[in-house]
Amino acid sequence: MRLLVTGGLGFIGSNFVRHHLGSYPGDSIVNLDLCTYAGNPANLADLAPPAAGHSAAGAVRKENGIARRYRWIRGDIADPEAVDKAMAGCDAVVHFAAESHVDRSILEPGVFLRTNVIGTQVLLDAALKHRVRRFVHVSTDEVYGSVEKGLSREGDPLEPNSPYAASKAASDLLVRSYVVTFGLPAVITRASNNFGPFQFPEKALPLMITNWMESRPFPLYGDGLNVRDWVYVLDHVRGIELVLRKGRVGEAYNIGGTCSSTNRELVARVRDIMGIGPELVRPVPDRPGHDRRYALDCSKLKKLGFRHKYRFADALAKTVEWYGMHPEWWRPLKGRKGYQGYYKKQYRTLAKS
Ligand code: NAD
Ligand code: TYD
């Protein structure tokens, strides 16, 4: 099978590409990725070394078994011509590309609509034209909104609360409409908070771990009692693989983890692993519209045969170790002007909230 993966230079996409090529020796992958601030050729440097300055079009191939089956095309999912070229000859699409950070969506919603909604629509049109056999749309538990108690099921109403979640919910609904109206063989996955290697250090866990590695505080929003469900990225990837092969057209599948935790509890666990004192946890004003709790019912995925492979405590410890072993990966990202500019804006916004 030849797959088009979008957003394969990001956190989850790069973990998927490596896992897929390792698991399916007959498959090849074309990765369409614009390489925004969140995309990083270094995430797949073992398959294709970053082009000089990360600026040239990808398509760099290393001649070993896996690398020959992988190609990166630098392009925008909202550009119909780029998408058309990348999708030609592909049997299936796994769509990760998105603007993915809630805090950035509060600062700048427009780019979320362009990429997450228009970009998805452009991909859906191309998928019809190229008659792909399967389209997997990778979405999030955030589309259900905050659930005070109980678990979100796939048929629940979508009640997104941030511009990020609203743009993802809009794209989920577009996918549904292409199934019903045009018969596109699409499926949707909705995962909880992922963690693991190669996560951009703006999301809570990698920010916490890397800040503490630099003896800097982690900013804990509000009262720290917001609850998230945590899934190790490779379990998420395994869930997507299963849905790609066995999911029923037109259905959505929740992919949750094995640990539901308040942010305070998460902070305590990581402090424990790293031996960090309380002085490196800095309470800051809350994120506007901060969802209190996400929680997923994953029985539908389990009926497809899904079982978690990774224990939360082990995966968390392994993740901390990975960031410790790879400062050359995250230090340059945190040193960028754009990264520091984002934090200046971000803390001004929180101070006003
Ligand atoms: P990420 O921000 O790490 O990566 C996004 C990737 O998409 C980057 O490589 C970026 O360059 C690329 N991209 C952005 N705009 C693009 C465009 N216009 N054209 C082409 N490529 C573009 O994201 P992630 O955390 O890996 O998330 C991947 C997907 O999974 C997203 O759709 C996200 O909504 C979903 N998801 C994420 C989580 C999570 O915890 N991170 C949880 C559930 C669902
Ligand atoms: P995040 O990783 O941004 O994921 P999401 O908001 O999509 O769930 O945040 C996870 C939780 O951590 C969320 O409740 C917000 C909180 N958080 C902080 O307390 N401080 C931070 O600096 C960040 C980025 C998040």
Side-chain angles (χ1 to χ4, degrees), residues 100-103 142 164 193 199 202-205 207 218-222 226-228 230 263 284 287 290-291 294 343 346-347:
S100 68
H101 190 38
V102 172
D103 292 324
E142 303 195 24
Y164 162 67
N193 284 60
Q199 187 167 29
E202 64 183 355
K203 304 278 166 57
L205 257 175
L207 182 72
F218 170 70
L220 182 64
Y221 296 167
N226 305 70
V227 174
R228 295 292 183 267
W230 292 94
N263 293 333
V284 297
R287 168 192 281 172
H290 195 174
D291 280 337
Y294 302 133
Y343 275 102
Q346 161 69 351
Y347 293 130

PDB file of all heavy atoms in Angstrom, residues 100-103 142 164 193 199 202-205 207 218-222 226-228 230 263 284 287 290-291 294 343 346-347, ligand 2:
ATOM      1  N   SER A 100      -2.040  22.724  16.077  1.00  0.00           N
ATOM      2  CA  SER A 100      -2.478  21.796  17.128  1.00  0.00           C
ATOM      3  C   SER A 100      -2.427  22.333  18.556  1.00  0.00           C
ATOM      4  O   SER A 100      -2.772  21.609  19.489  1.00  0.00           O
ATOM      5  CB  SER A 100      -1.633  20.519  17.048  1.00  0.00           C
ATOM      6  OG  SER A 100      -0.293  20.806  17.408  1.00  0.00           O
ATOM      7  N   HIS A 101      -2.017  23.592  18.751  1.00  0.00           N
ATOM      8  CA  HIS A 101      -1.838  24.046  20.139  1.00  0.00           C
ATOM      9  C   HIS A 101      -2.932  25.034  20.554  1.00  0.00           C
ATOM     10  O   HIS A 101      -3.064  26.110  19.967  1.00  0.00           O
ATOM     11  CB  HIS A 101      -0.454  24.676  20.279  1.00  0.00           C
ATOM     12  CG  HIS A 101      -0.071  24.962  21.699  1.00  0.00           C
ATOM     13  ND1 HIS A 101      -0.388  24.134  22.754  1.00  0.00           N
ATOM     14  CD2 HIS A 101       0.609  25.996  22.249  1.00  0.00           C
ATOM     15  CE1 HIS A 101       0.077  24.646  23.879  1.00  0.00           C
ATOM     16  NE2 HIS A 101       0.682  25.779  23.598  1.00  0.00           N
ATOM     17  N   VAL A 102      -3.679  24.648  21.575  1.00  0.00           N
ATOM     18  CA  VAL A 102      -4.826  25.445  22.033  1.00  0.00           C
ATOM     19  C   VAL A 102      -4.423  26.896  22.333  1.00  0.00           C
ATOM     20  O   VAL A 102      -5.104  27.847  21.921  1.00  0.00           O
ATOM     21  CB  VAL A 102      -5.443  24.806  23.303  1.00  0.00           C
ATOM     22  CG1 VAL A 102      -6.504  25.715  23.914  1.00  0.00           C
ATOM     23  CG2 VAL A 102      -6.022  23.435  22.988  1.00  0.00           C
ATOM     24  N   ASP A 103      -3.316  27.081  23.055  1.00  0.00           N
ATOM     25  CA  ASP A 103      -2.933  28.451  23.442  1.00  0.00           C
ATOM     26  C   ASP A 103      -2.671  29.325  22.216  1.00  0.00           C
ATOM     27  O   ASP A 103      -3.019  30.503  22.194  1.00  0.00           O
ATOM     28  CB  ASP A 103      -1.684  28.420  24.330  1.00  0.00           C
ATOM     29  CG  ASP A 103      -1.979  27.793  25.692  1.00  0.00           C
ATOM     30  OD1 ASP A 103      -3.087  28.000  26.211  1.00  0.00           O
ATOM     31  OD2 ASP A 103      -1.109  27.077  26.221  1.00  0.00           O
ATOM     32  N   GLU A 142     -10.923  16.838  22.202  1.00  0.00           N
ATOM     33  CA  GLU A 142     -11.336  18.203  22.540  1.00  0.00           C
ATOM     34  C   GLU A 142     -12.593  18.627  21.786  1.00  0.00           C
ATOM     35  O   GLU A 142     -13.245  19.605  22.161  1.00  0.00           O
ATOM     36  CB  GLU A 142     -10.180  19.180  22.289  1.00  0.00           C
ATOM     37  CG  GLU A 142      -8.965  18.746  23.086  1.00  0.00           C
ATOM     38  CD  GLU A 142      -7.876  19.788  23.212  1.00  0.00           C
ATOM     39  OE1 GLU A 142      -8.166  20.982  23.102  1.00  0.00           O
ATOM     40  OE2 GLU A 142      -6.720  19.370  23.431  1.00  0.00           O
ATOM     41  N   TYR A 164      -9.101  26.116  18.494  1.00  0.00           N
ATOM     42  CA  TYR A 164      -8.493  24.865  18.006  1.00  0.00           C
ATOM     43  C   TYR A 164      -9.548  23.764  17.946  1.00  0.00           C
ATOM     44  O   TYR A 164      -9.738  23.116  16.901  1.00  0.00           O
ATOM     45  CB  TYR A 164      -7.336  24.441  18.927  1.00  0.00           C
ATOM     46  CG  TYR A 164      -6.941  22.984  18.761  1.00  0.00           C
ATOM     47  CD1 TYR A 164      -6.369  22.522  17.580  1.00  0.00           C
ATOM     48  CD2 TYR A 164      -7.154  22.053  19.797  1.00  0.00           C
ATOM     49  CE1 TYR A 164      -6.022  21.176  17.419  1.00  0.00           C
ATOM     50  CE2 TYR A 164      -6.804  20.709  19.645  1.00  0.00           C
ATOM     51  CZ  TYR A 164      -6.237  20.280  18.452  1.00  0.00           C
ATOM     52  OH  TYR A 164      -5.904  18.946  18.297  1.00  0.00           O
ATOM     53  N   ASN A 193      -4.870  13.329  25.140  1.00  0.00           N
ATOM     54  CA  ASN A 193      -3.559  14.003  25.149  1.00  0.00           C
ATOM     55  C   ASN A 193      -2.430  12.995  24.956  1.00  0.00           C
ATOM     56  O   ASN A 193      -2.274  12.080  25.759  1.00  0.00           O
ATOM     57  CB  ASN A 193      -3.347  14.736  26.475  1.00  0.00           C
ATOM     58  CG  ASN A 193      -4.134  16.016  26.545  1.00  0.00           C
ATOM     59  OD1 ASN A 193      -5.358  15.999  26.462  1.00  0.00           O
ATOM     60  ND2 ASN A 193      -3.444  17.137  26.681  1.00  0.00           N
ATOM     61  N   GLN A 199       7.794  15.578  20.835  1.00  0.00           N
ATOM     62  CA  GLN A 199       6.667  16.515  20.993  1.00  0.00           C
ATOM     63  C   GLN A 199       7.218  17.921  21.161  1.00  0.00           C
ATOM     64  O   GLN A 199       8.105  18.160  21.994  1.00  0.00           O
ATOM     65  CB  GLN A 199       5.801  16.126  22.203  1.00  0.00           C
ATOM     66  CG  GLN A 199       4.529  16.963  22.290  1.00  0.00           C
ATOM     67  CD  GLN A 199       3.508  16.413  23.282  1.00  0.00           C
ATOM     68  OE1 GLN A 199       3.884  15.765  24.260  1.00  0.00           O
ATOM     69  NE2 GLN A 199       2.242  16.684  23.045  1.00  0.00           N
ATOM     70  N   GLU A 202       6.148  23.104  23.560  1.00  0.00           N
ATOM     71  CA  GLU A 202       5.171  24.125  23.965  1.00  0.00           C
ATOM     72  C   GLU A 202       3.999  23.435  24.666  1.00  0.00           C
ATOM     73  O   GLU A 202       3.262  24.069  25.405  1.00  0.00           O
ATOM     74  CB  GLU A 202       4.647  24.888  22.731  1.00  0.00           C
ATOM     75  CG  GLU A 202       3.867  23.996  21.784  1.00  0.00           C
ATOM     76  CD  GLU A 202       3.388  24.677  20.518  1.00  0.00           C
ATOM     77  OE1 GLU A 202       3.566  25.897  20.367  1.00  0.00           O
ATOM     78  OE2 GLU A 202       2.822  23.959  19.659  1.00  0.00           O
ATOM     79  N   LYS A 203       3.811  22.133  24.393  1.00  0.00           N
ATOM     80  CA  LYS A 203       2.741  21.372  25.039  1.00  0.00           C
ATOM     81  C   LYS A 203       3.177  21.074  26.463  1.00  0.00           C
ATOM     82  O   LYS A 203       4.372  21.033  26.759  1.00  0.00           O
ATOM     83  CB  LYS A 203       2.463  20.078  24.269  1.00  0.00           C
ATOM     84  CG  LYS A 203       2.132  20.291  22.799  1.00  0.00           C
ATOM     85  CD  LYS A 203       0.679  20.672  22.595  1.00  0.00           C
ATOM     86  CE  LYS A 203       0.389  21.209  21.209  1.00  0.00           C
ATOM     87  NZ  LYS A 203       0.715  20.377  20.091  1.00  0.00           N
ATOM     88  N   ALA A 204       2.189  20.824  27.346  1.00  0.00           N
ATOM     89  CA  ALA A 204       2.475  20.791  28.777  1.00  0.00           C
ATOM     90  C   ALA A 204       3.646  19.863  29.158  1.00  0.00           C
ATOM     91  O   ALA A 204       4.579  20.307  29.842  1.00  0.00           O
ATOM     92  CB  ALA A 204       1.219  20.390  29.540  1.00  0.00           C
ATOM     93  N   LEU A 205       3.596  18.604  28.711  1.00  0.00           N
ATOM     94  CA  LEU A 205       4.622  17.673  29.223  1.00  0.00           C
ATOM     95  C   LEU A 205       6.042  17.990  28.761  1.00  0.00           C
ATOM     96  O   LEU A 205       6.941  18.107  29.588  1.00  0.00           O
ATOM     97  CB  LEU A 205       4.238  16.227  28.902  1.00  0.00           C
ATOM     98  CG  LEU A 205       3.688  15.460  30.098  1.00  0.00           C
ATOM     99  CD1 LEU A 205       3.216  14.079  29.703  1.00  0.00           C
ATOM    100  CD2 LEU A 205       4.715  15.340  31.212  1.00  0.00           C
ATOM    101  N   LEU A 207       7.177  20.774  27.742  1.00  0.00           N
ATOM    102  CA  LEU A 207       7.567  22.077  28.301  1.00  0.00           C
ATOM    103  C   LEU A 207       8.044  21.887  29.744  1.00  0.00           C
ATOM    104  O   LEU A 207       9.093  22.402  30.148  1.00  0.00           O
ATOM    105  CB  LEU A 207       6.372  23.046  28.261  1.00  0.00           C
ATOM    106  CG  LEU A 207       6.687  24.450  28.781  1.00  0.00           C
ATOM    107  CD1 LEU A 207       7.583  25.210  27.792  1.00  0.00           C
ATOM    108  CD2 LEU A 207       5.397  25.251  29.014  1.00  0.00           C
ATOM    109  N   PHE A 218       7.909  25.598  35.589  1.00  0.00           N
ATOM    110  CA  PHE A 218       6.811  25.233  34.706  1.00  0.00           C
ATOM    111  C   PHE A 218       5.592  26.058  35.117  1.00  0.00           C
ATOM    112  O   PHE A 218       5.198  26.066  36.289  1.00  0.00           O
ATOM    113  CB  PHE A 218       6.485  23.741  34.842  1.00  0.00           C
ATOM    114  CG  PHE A 218       5.208  23.361  34.131  1.00  0.00           C
ATOM    115  CD1 PHE A 218       5.142  23.346  32.744  1.00  0.00           C
ATOM    116  CD2 PHE A 218       4.050  23.056  34.853  1.00  0.00           C
ATOM    117  CE1 PHE A 218       3.957  23.026  32.085  1.00  0.00           C
ATOM    118  CE2 PHE A 218       2.860  22.728  34.201  1.00  0.00           C
ATOM    119  CZ  PHE A 218       2.813  22.715  32.815  1.00  0.00           C
ATOM    120  N   PRO A 219       4.984  26.792  34.154  1.00  0.00           N
ATOM    121  CA  PRO A 219       3.808  27.604  34.480  1.00  0.00           C
ATOM    122  C   PRO A 219       2.560  26.736  34.561  1.00  0.00           C
ATOM    123  O   PRO A 219       2.120  26.192  33.549  1.00  0.00           O
ATOM    124  CB  PRO A 219       3.721  28.573  33.295  1.00  0.00           C
ATOM    125  CG  PRO A 219       4.406  27.862  32.158  1.00  0.00           C
ATOM    126  CD  PRO A 219       5.373  26.895  32.744  1.00  0.00           C
ATOM    127  N   LEU A 220       1.995  26.604  35.761  1.00  0.00           N
ATOM    128  CA  LEU A 220       0.800  25.769  35.948  1.00  0.00           C
ATOM    129  C   LEU A 220      -0.427  26.671  35.896  1.00  0.00           C
ATOM    130  O   LEU A 220      -0.586  27.581  36.716  1.00  0.00           O
ATOM    131  CB  LEU A 220       0.884  25.048  37.296  1.00  0.00           C
ATOM    132  CG  LEU A 220      -0.261  24.096  37.628  1.00  0.00           C
ATOM    133  CD1 LEU A 220      -0.318  22.924  36.649  1.00  0.00           C
ATOM    134  CD2 LEU A 220      -0.106  23.577  39.059  1.00  0.00           C
ATOM    135  N   TYR A 221      -1.304  26.398  34.920  1.00  0.00           N
ATOM    136  CA  TYR A 221      -2.459  27.280  34.716  1.00  0.00           C
ATOM    137  C   TYR A 221      -3.511  27.090  35.811  1.00  0.00           C
ATOM    138  O   TYR A 221      -3.871  25.954  36.154  1.00  0.00           O
ATOM    139  CB  TYR A 221      -3.146  26.969  33.383  1.00  0.00           C
ATOM    140  CG  TYR A 221      -2.324  27.220  32.129  1.00  0.00           C
ATOM    141  CD1 TYR A 221      -2.755  26.719  30.903  1.00  0.00           C
ATOM    142  CD2 TYR A 221      -1.141  27.958  32.156  1.00  0.00           C
ATOM    143  CE1 TYR A 221      -2.026  26.931  29.734  1.00  0.00           C
ATOM    144  CE2 TYR A 221      -0.415  28.169  30.997  1.00  0.00           C
ATOM    145  CZ  TYR A 221      -0.849  27.658  29.801  1.00  0.00           C
ATOM    146  OH  TYR A 221      -0.126  27.871  28.649  1.00  0.00           O
ATOM    147  N   GLY A 222      -4.048  28.217  36.279  1.00  0.00           N
ATOM    148  CA  GLY A 222      -5.208  28.195  37.181  1.00  0.00           C
ATOM    149  C   GLY A 222      -4.937  27.398  38.441  1.00  0.00           C
ATOM    150  O   GLY A 222      -3.850  27.468  39.029  1.00  0.00           O
ATOM    151  N   ASN A 226      -7.441  20.803  36.365  1.00  0.00           N
ATOM    152  CA  ASN A 226      -8.014  20.337  35.093  1.00  0.00           C
ATOM    153  C   ASN A 226      -7.548  18.910  34.842  1.00  0.00           C
ATOM    154  O   ASN A 226      -6.395  18.577  35.124  1.00  0.00           O
ATOM    155  CB  ASN A 226      -7.551  21.249  33.944  1.00  0.00           C
ATOM    156  CG  ASN A 226      -7.893  22.689  34.237  1.00  0.00           C
ATOM    157  OD1 ASN A 226      -7.289  23.284  35.129  1.00  0.00           O
ATOM    158  ND2 ASN A 226      -8.857  23.227  33.541  1.00  0.00           N
ATOM    159  N   VAL A 227      -8.456  18.107  34.316  1.00  0.00           N
ATOM    160  CA  VAL A 227      -8.159  16.680  34.151  1.00  0.00           C
ATOM    161  C   VAL A 227      -7.955  16.348  32.673  1.00  0.00           C
ATOM    162  O   VAL A 227      -8.755  16.750  31.821  1.00  0.00           O
ATOM    163  CB  VAL A 227      -9.330  15.829  34.708  1.00  0.00           C
ATOM    164  CG1 VAL A 227      -9.107  14.342  34.420  1.00  0.00           C
ATOM    165  CG2 VAL A 227      -9.490  16.081  36.196  1.00  0.00           C
ATOM    166  N   ARG A 228      -6.888  15.622  32.398  1.00  0.00           N
ATOM    167  CA  ARG A 228      -6.624  15.145  31.045  1.00  0.00           C
ATOM    168  C   ARG A 228      -6.394  13.641  31.087  1.00  0.00           C
ATOM    169  O   ARG A 228      -5.937  13.086  32.084  1.00  0.00           O
ATOM    170  CB  ARG A 228      -5.371  15.826  30.447  1.00  0.00           C
ATOM    171  CG  ARG A 228      -5.508  17.345  30.238  1.00  0.00           C
ATOM    172  CD  ARG A 228      -6.516  17.647  29.158  1.00  0.00           C
ATOM    173  NE  ARG A 228      -6.656  19.057  28.842  1.00  0.00           N
ATOM    174  CZ  ARG A 228      -7.551  19.875  29.401  1.00  0.00           C
ATOM    175  NH1 ARG A 228      -8.364  19.432  30.362  1.00  0.00           N
ATOM    176  NH2 ARG A 228      -7.639  21.135  29.018  1.00  0.00           N
ATOM    177  N   TRP A 230      -4.205  10.689  29.407  1.00  0.00           N
ATOM    178  CA  TRP A 230      -2.904  10.668  28.736  1.00  0.00           C
ATOM    179  C   TRP A 230      -2.665   9.353  28.007  1.00  0.00           C
ATOM    180  O   TRP A 230      -2.772   8.279  28.600  1.00  0.00           O
ATOM    181  CB  TRP A 230      -1.787  10.922  29.753  1.00  0.00           C
ATOM    182  CG  TRP A 230      -1.854  12.330  30.278  1.00  0.00           C
ATOM    183  CD1 TRP A 230      -2.483  12.762  31.423  1.00  0.00           C
ATOM    184  CD2 TRP A 230      -1.346  13.517  29.646  1.00  0.00           C
ATOM    185  NE1 TRP A 230      -2.371  14.138  31.545  1.00  0.00           N
ATOM    186  CE2 TRP A 230      -1.679  14.621  30.464  1.00  0.00           C
ATOM    187  CE3 TRP A 230      -0.627  13.757  28.461  1.00  0.00           C
ATOM    188  CZ2 TRP A 230      -1.319  15.935  30.139  1.00  0.00           C
ATOM    189  CZ3 TRP A 230      -0.274  15.062  28.144  1.00  0.00           C
ATOM    190  CH2 TRP A 230      -0.616  16.127  28.979  1.00  0.00           C
ATOM    191  N   ASN A 263      -3.705  18.142  36.360  1.00  0.00           N
ATOM    192  CA  ASN A 263      -2.381  18.668  36.026  1.00  0.00           C
ATOM    193  C   ASN A 263      -1.473  18.674  37.255  1.00  0.00           C
ATOM    194  O   ASN A 263      -0.278  18.436  37.153  1.00  0.00           O
ATOM    195  CB  ASN A 263      -2.505  20.068  35.424  1.00  0.00           C
ATOM    196  CG  ASN A 263      -3.196  20.021  34.066  1.00  0.00           C
ATOM    197  OD1 ASN A 263      -3.134  19.002  33.376  1.00  0.00           O
ATOM    198  ND2 ASN A 263      -3.866  21.098  33.692  1.00  0.00           N
ATOM    199  N   VAL A 284       0.222  30.282  37.442  1.00  0.00           N
ATOM    200  CA  VAL A 284      -0.008  31.474  36.604  1.00  0.00           C
ATOM    201  C   VAL A 284      -1.513  31.566  36.339  1.00  0.00           C
ATOM    202  O   VAL A 284      -2.246  30.596  36.574  1.00  0.00           O
ATOM    203  CB  VAL A 284       0.769  31.396  35.256  1.00  0.00           C
ATOM    204  CG1 VAL A 284       2.271  31.375  35.474  1.00  0.00           C
ATOM    205  CG2 VAL A 284       0.326  30.204  34.422  1.00  0.00           C
ATOM    206  N   ARG A 287      -5.778  29.683  31.556  1.00  0.00           N
ATOM    207  CA  ARG A 287      -6.039  29.820  30.119  1.00  0.00           C
ATOM    208  C   ARG A 287      -7.503  30.203  29.942  1.00  0.00           C
ATOM    209  O   ARG A 287      -8.373  29.577  30.562  1.00  0.00           O
ATOM    210  CB  ARG A 287      -5.764  28.461  29.484  1.00  0.00           C
ATOM    211  CG  ARG A 287      -6.243  28.293  28.070  1.00  0.00           C
ATOM    212  CD  ARG A 287      -6.179  26.819  27.644  1.00  0.00           C
ATOM    213  NE  ARG A 287      -4.859  26.376  27.283  1.00  0.00           N
ATOM    214  CZ  ARG A 287      -4.542  25.106  27.025  1.00  0.00           C
ATOM    215  NH1 ARG A 287      -5.455  24.153  27.109  1.00  0.00           N
ATOM    216  NH2 ARG A 287      -3.312  24.765  26.680  1.00  0.00           N
ATOM    217  N   HIS A 290     -10.538  27.464  29.509  1.00  0.00           N
ATOM    218  CA  HIS A 290      -9.819  26.217  29.799  1.00  0.00           C
ATOM    219  C   HIS A 290     -10.777  25.064  30.126  1.00  0.00           C
ATOM    220  O   HIS A 290     -11.446  25.078  31.162  1.00  0.00           O
ATOM    221  CB  HIS A 290      -8.892  26.475  30.994  1.00  0.00           C
ATOM    222  CG  HIS A 290      -7.842  25.441  31.193  1.00  0.00           C
ATOM    223  ND1 HIS A 290      -6.866  25.584  32.147  1.00  0.00           N
ATOM    224  CD2 HIS A 290      -7.594  24.265  30.581  1.00  0.00           C
ATOM    225  CE1 HIS A 290      -6.061  24.530  32.123  1.00  0.00           C
ATOM    226  NE2 HIS A 290      -6.496  23.713  31.181  1.00  0.00           N
ATOM    227  N   ASP A 291     -10.824  24.051  29.265  1.00  0.00           N
ATOM    228  CA  ASP A 291     -11.706  22.904  29.515  1.00  0.00           C
ATOM    229  C   ASP A 291     -11.292  22.189  30.803  1.00  0.00           C
ATOM    230  O   ASP A 291     -10.117  21.909  31.023  1.00  0.00           O
ATOM    231  CB  ASP A 291     -11.642  21.920  28.338  1.00  0.00           C
ATOM    232  CG  ASP A 291     -12.511  22.367  27.168  1.00  0.00           C
ATOM    233  OD1 ASP A 291     -13.468  23.147  27.389  1.00  0.00           O
ATOM    234  OD2 ASP A 291     -12.233  21.942  26.024  1.00  0.00           O
ATOM    235  N   TYR A 294     -11.396  16.176  30.196  1.00  0.00           N
ATOM    236  CA  TYR A 294     -11.672  15.308  29.042  1.00  0.00           C
ATOM    237  C   TYR A 294     -11.594  13.862  29.520  1.00  0.00           C
ATOM    238  O   TYR A 294     -10.740  13.518  30.347  1.00  0.00           O
ATOM    239  CB  TYR A 294     -10.625  15.477  27.930  1.00  0.00           C
ATOM    240  CG  TYR A 294     -10.460  16.880  27.375  1.00  0.00           C
ATOM    241  CD1 TYR A 294      -9.197  17.433  27.212  1.00  0.00           C
ATOM    242  CD2 TYR A 294     -11.564  17.643  27.002  1.00  0.00           C
ATOM    243  CE1 TYR A 294      -9.023  18.707  26.681  1.00  0.00           C
ATOM    244  CE2 TYR A 294     -11.403  18.910  26.471  1.00  0.00           C
ATOM    245  CZ  TYR A 294     -10.130  19.440  26.321  1.00  0.00           C
ATOM    246  OH  TYR A 294      -9.967  20.688  25.801  1.00  0.00           O
ATOM    247  N   TYR A 343       6.145  33.051  23.605  1.00  0.00           N
ATOM    248  CA  TYR A 343       5.964  33.075  25.060  1.00  0.00           C
ATOM    249  C   TYR A 343       5.731  34.475  25.610  1.00  0.00           C
ATOM    250  O   TYR A 343       4.953  34.644  26.536  1.00  0.00           O
ATOM    251  CB  TYR A 343       7.110  32.338  25.779  1.00  0.00           C
ATOM    252  CG  TYR A 343       6.761  30.876  25.809  1.00  0.00           C
ATOM    253  CD1 TYR A 343       7.351  29.987  24.937  1.00  0.00           C
ATOM    254  CD2 TYR A 343       5.746  30.412  26.634  1.00  0.00           C
ATOM    255  CE1 TYR A 343       6.955  28.659  24.896  1.00  0.00           C
ATOM    256  CE2 TYR A 343       5.345  29.099  26.614  1.00  0.00           C
ATOM    257  CZ  TYR A 343       5.953  28.228  25.742  1.00  0.00           C
ATOM    258  OH  TYR A 343       5.538  26.930  25.697  1.00  0.00           O
ATOM    259  N   GLN A 346       2.140  35.067  24.852  1.00  0.00           N
ATOM    260  CA  GLN A 346       1.327  34.139  25.623  1.00  0.00           C
ATOM    261  C   GLN A 346       1.165  34.621  27.065  1.00  0.00           C
ATOM    262  O   GLN A 346       0.069  34.645  27.617  1.00  0.00           O
ATOM    263  CB  GLN A 346       1.992  32.761  25.524  1.00  0.00           C
ATOM    264  CG  GLN A 346       1.616  31.749  26.572  1.00  0.00           C
ATOM    265  CD  GLN A 346       0.166  31.303  26.407  1.00  0.00           C
ATOM    266  OE1 GLN A 346      -0.586  31.858  25.629  1.00  0.00           O
ATOM    267  NE2 GLN A 346      -0.229  30.332  27.174  1.00  0.00           N
ATOM    268  N   TYR A 347       2.276  35.054  27.693  1.00  0.00           N
ATOM    269  CA  TYR A 347       2.170  35.454  29.092  1.00  0.00           C
ATOM    270  C   TYR A 347       1.488  36.809  29.250  1.00  0.00           C
ATOM    271  O   TYR A 347       0.832  37.058  30.253  1.00  0.00           O
ATOM    272  CB  TYR A 347       3.534  35.365  29.794  1.00  0.00           C
ATOM    273  CG  TYR A 347       3.962  33.918  29.895  1.00  0.00           C
ATOM    274  CD1 TYR A 347       5.218  33.494  29.499  1.00  0.00           C
ATOM    275  CD2 TYR A 347       3.044  32.945  30.318  1.00  0.00           C
ATOM    276  CE1 TYR A 347       5.560  32.157  29.548  1.00  0.00           C
ATOM    277  CE2 TYR A 347       3.383  31.617  30.372  1.00  0.00           C
ATOM    278  CZ  TYR A 347       4.641  31.216  29.982  1.00  0.00           C
ATOM    279  OH  TYR A 347       4.973  29.896  30.015  1.00  0.00           O
TER     280      TYR A 347
HETATM  281  P1  TYD B   2      -1.659  21.038  26.540  1.00  0.00           P
HETATM  282  O1  TYD B   2      -0.457  20.171  26.468  1.00  0.00           O
HETATM  283  O2  TYD B   2      -1.584  22.399  25.951  1.00  0.00           O
HETATM  284  O3  TYD B   2      -2.856  20.197  25.925  1.00  0.00           O
HETATM  285  P2  TYD B   2      -4.447  20.559  25.861  1.00  0.00           P
HETATM  286  O4  TYD B   2      -4.687  21.918  26.346  1.00  0.00           O
HETATM  287  O5  TYD B   2      -4.695  20.414  24.415  1.00  0.00           O
HETATM  288  O6  TYD B   2      -5.093  19.515  26.711  1.00  0.00           O
HETATM  289  O7  TYD B   2      -2.079  21.200  28.072  1.00  0.00           O
HETATM  290  C1  TYD B   2      -2.379  20.093  28.893  1.00  0.00           C
HETATM  291  C2  TYD B   2      -2.902  20.637  30.203  1.00  0.00           C
HETATM  292  O8  TYD B   2      -1.858  21.362  30.856  1.00  0.00           O
HETATM  293  C3  TYD B   2      -4.042  21.627  30.022  1.00  0.00           C
HETATM  294  O9  TYD B   2      -4.992  21.453  31.068  1.00  0.00           O
HETATM  295  C4  TYD B   2      -3.376  22.988  30.145  1.00  0.00           C
HETATM  296  C5  TYD B   2      -2.240  22.738  31.084  1.00  0.00           C
HETATM  297  N1  TYD B   2      -1.031  23.568  30.852  1.00  0.00           N
HETATM  298  C6  TYD B   2      -0.439  24.253  31.917  1.00  0.00           C
HETATM  299  O10 TYD B   2      -0.902  24.191  33.077  1.00  0.00           O
HETATM  300  N2  TYD B   2       0.667  25.010  31.647  1.00  0.00           N
HETATM  301  C7  TYD B   2       1.216  25.101  30.398  1.00  0.00           C
HETATM  302  O11 TYD B   2       2.219  25.827  30.202  1.00  0.00           O
HETATM  303  C8  TYD B   2       0.582  24.388  29.325  1.00  0.00           C
HETATM  304  C9  TYD B   2       1.126  24.475  27.918  1.00  0.00           C
HETATM  305  C10 TYD B   2      -0.538  23.635  29.596  1.00  0.00           C
END
